[in-house]
């Protein structure tokens, strides 16, 4: 029977694989298998036509053993409690791999934001913070952007929190616009960090980035930044897909021109510099690298055996199911796991939080240099763990992370 795991079950099975290798104490594992706290809220929003709509909102704090819960807020029709829990789970281990002083959190609202006017979107963002104001705080739980949320939404959330508390605390969330205490380099950070991870992996395989062919699923904030940086480094982005479908150009897509097209039309569809292709075939193309940069559960037992690429660069959270992992491992496909490769975003969020607390801001060069250094170090830790323990990179990333978090849990005497 085809595997039918929820995101939370996928996350739990990944942790179990690492715990087995580490001989992790049962009580520590049990503590980490579920979030410490989840909050579900109803968010009433006055719509432009005078009616009121009620939206379901969530915040999950998976772990606060190492520091405040940290993680984005997603606005998407597919958001549900299980997904938010899994996303917060992945944040804990992501922050752990990078050695950031944070636990894991994630939030979301079940909504199709494309159906809201700008002012409805503002009221929803403010309503979300009003409903969860006592959960958030610079030392408690620090939100950030995720799928379909951005700097403008963070600005409204920051302001609503300030209205409630009668003072602005810039460190209560990250991913803010620069004038409101945001960090230089934050917008592209996830894409940039992913590229550093890929370059480190290519070095290990004795491969050059120049001329490498790449297919990217998702052309939002993160996928587009990665594609742009990769193209600048000489990679050939031959295929890109989004919800409108796929586009293909064997000579490489002009990413800057595509960005202009997307900003004008909202989608990659009808871009004049490429041919249309079925979006669902994106992972089956004969390319060197495939990049899932959209949502979870897209590399499954249904399509994993059709993967021809040598490397999977996971920019989305949770794109690969355990069965797909197994199939690709057997085929010799190198999977660069999400909790390592997409950690650039939360790493620069951490830099933003530090800068807010200092009240002193770094240049873009400094941010990027620190990000590159952190990503390289973390890659090396994970790579070495994989070699020492003869495990794949995902299990190794969890092992690096679980060691840190488990130690903190034990030292504090939580279990
Ligand atoms: N939403 C991003 C992630 O999944 C960033 C989280 C953050 O910056 O806190 O990693």
């Amino acid at each position: 029977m085809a595997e039918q795991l929820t995101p939370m079950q996928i996350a739990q099975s990944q942790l179990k694989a690492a715990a087995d290798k580490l001989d992790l104490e049962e009580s520590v594992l049990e503590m980490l298998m579920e979030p410490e706290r989840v909050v579900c809220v109803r968010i009433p929003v006055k719509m432009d036509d005078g009616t009121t709509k009620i939206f379901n909102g969530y915040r999950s704090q998976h772990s606060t053993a190492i520091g405040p819960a940290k993680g984005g807020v997603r606005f998407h029709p597919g958001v549900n409690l299980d997904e938010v829990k899994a996303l917060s789970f992945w944040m804990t281990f992501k922050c752990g791999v990078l050695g950031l002083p944070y636990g894991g959190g994630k939030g979301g609202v079940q909504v199709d934001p494309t159906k809201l006017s700008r002012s409805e979107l503002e009221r929803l963002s403010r309503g979300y913070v009003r409903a969860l104001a006592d959960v958030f705080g610079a030392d408690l739980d620090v939100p950030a952007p995720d799928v379909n949320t951005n700097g403008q939404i963070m600005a409204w959330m920051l302001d609503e929190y300030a209205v409630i508390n009668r003072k602005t605390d810039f460190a209560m969330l990250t991913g803010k616009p620069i004038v409101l205490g945001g960090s230089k380099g934050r917008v592209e950070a996830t894409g940039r960090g992913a590229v550093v991870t890929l370059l480190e992996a290519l070095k290990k395989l004795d491969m050059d980035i120049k001329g490498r062919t790449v297919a990217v699923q998702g052309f939002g904030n993160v996928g587009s930044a990665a594609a742009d940086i990769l193209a600048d480094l000489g990679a050939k982005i031959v295929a890109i897909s989004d919800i409108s479908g796929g586009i293909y150009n064997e000579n490489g897509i002009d990413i800057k021109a595509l960005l202009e097209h997307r900003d004008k039309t909202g989608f990659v569809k009808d871009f004049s510099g490429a041919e249309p292709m079925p979006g669902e075939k994106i992972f089956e193309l004969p390319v060197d690298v495939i990049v899932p940069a959209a949502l979870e559960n897209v590399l499954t037992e249904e399509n994993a055996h059709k993967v021809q690429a040598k490397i999977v660069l996971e920019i989305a959270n949770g794109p690969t199911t355990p069965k797909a992992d197994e199939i690709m491992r057997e085929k010799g496909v190198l999977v660069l796991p999400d909790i390592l490769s997409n950690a650039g975003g939360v790493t620069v969020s951490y830099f933003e939080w530090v800068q807010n607390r200092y009240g002193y801001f770094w240049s873009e060069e400094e941010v990027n240099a620190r990000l590159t250094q952190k990503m390289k170090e973390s890659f090396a830790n994970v790579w070495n763990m994989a070699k020492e323990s003869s495990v794949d990179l995902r299990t190794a990333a969890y092992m690096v992370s679980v060691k840190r978090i488990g130690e903190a849990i034990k030292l504090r005497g939580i279990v």
Side-chain angles (χ1 to χ4, degrees):
M1 206 184 82
E3 97 200 293
Q4 285 284 350
L5 298 181
T6 68
M8 193 55 189
Q9 288 167 330
I10 291 173
Q12 288 169 330
S13 101
Q14 294 168 344
L15 171 62
K16 267 198 206 127
D20 284 349
K21 284 276 165 193
L22 285 172
D23 253 333
L24 191 70
E25 222 174 279
E26 196 52 40
S27 53
V28 175
L29 176 62
E30 222 180 286
M31 188 68 208
L32 289 170
M33 286 299 265
E34 288 287 335
E36 282 172 17
R37 162 153 94 149
V38 288
V39 185
C40 301
V41 293
R42 301 276 282 159
I43 309 166
V45 176
K46 296 237 157 55
M47 307 303 280
D48 293 347
D49 66 5
T51 62
T52 299
K53 268 203 184 139
I54 321 280
F55 295 91
N56 292 319
Y58 306 90
R59 186 71 185 171
S60 168
Q61 299 174 341
H62 174 261
S63 172
T64 54
I66 286 202
K70 182 82 192 82
V73 180
R74 173 174 295 198
F75 285 0
H76 192 274
V79 164
N80 58 53
L81 183 58
D82 183 274
E83 184 193 52
V84 171
K85 279 164 66 173
L87 290 164
S88 71
F89 187 114
W90 285 316
M91 286 309 299
T92 296
F93 297 101
K94 191 184 303 187
C95 294
V97 179
L98 270 284
L100 306 178
Y102 291 137
K106 197 75 152 215
V109 179
Q110 202 178 67
V111 58
D112 181 352
T114 61
K115 303 243 158 69
L116 300 186
S117 70
R118 188 179 158 83
S119 49
E120 287 166 347
L121 191 62
E122 174 176 350
R123 289 193 288 276
L124 177 66
S125 306
R126 289 182 182 277
Y128 180 75
V129 168
R130 254 194 326 275
L132 290 162
D134 36 38
V135 164
F136 295 137
D139 293 307
L140 293 173
D141 183 346
V142 185
D146 195 76
V147 174
N148 293 331
T149 54
N150 56 21
Q152 173 61 78
I153 290 173
M154 293 306 111
W156 289 325
M157 291 185 173
L158 176 82
D159 187 70
E160 188 63 25
Y161 193 72
V163 169
I164 294 166
N165 291 292
R166 308 213 35 86
K167 68 173 193 298
T168 304
D169 181 358
F170 291 99
M172 65 82 43
L173 54 72
T174 60
K176 302 177 290 291
I178 307 259
V179 285
L180 287 172
S183 175
K184 295 201 170 115
R186 174 63 188 84
V187 173
E188 319 75 47
T190 310
R192 188 174 296 281
V195 172
V196 175
T197 308
L198 177 63
L199 293 179
E200 291 302 292
L202 288 172
K203 262 192 234 161
K204 296 285 183 194
L205 303 180
D206 244 336
M207 286 162 74
D208 192 6
I209 185 69
K210 287 215 169 55
R212 289 287 149 215
T213 50
V214 182
V216 184
Q217 184 202 41
F219 203 62
N221 211 347
V222 169
S224 66
D228 195 25
I229 301 169
L230 284 172
D232 284 348
L233 291 172
K236 240 202 278 178
I237 317 296
V238 295
I240 298 183
S241 70
D242 66 8
I243 47 166
S244 72
I247 57 169
Y248 183 82
N249 181 340
E250 64 174 342
N251 300 314
I253 295 166
D254 178 342
I255 302 297
K256 311 260 187 262
L258 179 62
L259 279 167
E260 259 175 52
H261 171 83
R262 187 217 46 197
D263 289 345
K264 241 183 275 154
T265 66
F267 304 104
V268 301
K269 182 177 83 177
D270 298 333
F271 176 56
S272 58
E275 300 297 321
M277 66 161 272
E280 65 280 5
K281 295 271 181 255
I282 194 95
F283 296 134
E284 300 168 23
L285 294 170
V287 292
D288 296 312
V289 185
I290 53 173
V291 186
L295 296 171
E296 52 276 7
N297 252 325
V298 293
L299 280 160
T300 64
E301 69 177 329
E302 247 93 84
N303 61 359
H305 58 278
K306 297 188 193 146
V307 168
Q308 302 186 56
K310 298 175 192 70
I311 300 180
V312 179
L313 177 63
E314 292 188 344
I315 298 190
N317 289 306
T320 307
T321 65
K323 279 263 171 61
D325 257 336
E326 202 181 299
I327 294 167
M328 291 195 286
R329 198 165 47 237
E330 275 159 21
K331 280 166 65 92
V333 179
L334 184 69
V335 177
L336 302 172
D338 49 2
I339 58 171
L340 170 67
S341 22
N342 77 19
V346 71
T347 300
V348 176
S349 276
Y350 165 56
F351 296 161
E352 178 174 333
W353 183 82
V354 168
Q355 292 170 80
N356 291 148
R357 305 194 120 191
Y358 260 115
Y360 175 77
F361 288 83
W362 310 344
S363 67
E364 190 161 349
E365 291 70 42
E366 181 161 6
V367 171
N368 290 344
R370 286 180 189 260
L371 168 64
T372 302
Q373 192 200 343
K374 270 233 149 266
M375 294 303 301
K376 281 187 175 176
E377 273 169 25
S378 308
F379 178 88
N381 291 341
V382 171
W383 187 269
N384 294 339
M385 177 65 91
K387 294 291 142 211
E388 275 161 30
S389 311
S390 307
V391 293
D392 57 45
L393 293 177
R394 189 184 316 283
T395 305
Y398 272 93
M399 287 168 76
V400 168
S401 196
V402 169
K403 270 192 159 184
R404 287 199 176 115
I405 300 159
E407 192 185 340
I409 289 178
K410 289 305 290 177
L411 282 169
R412 289 173 69 140
I414 293 174
V415 297

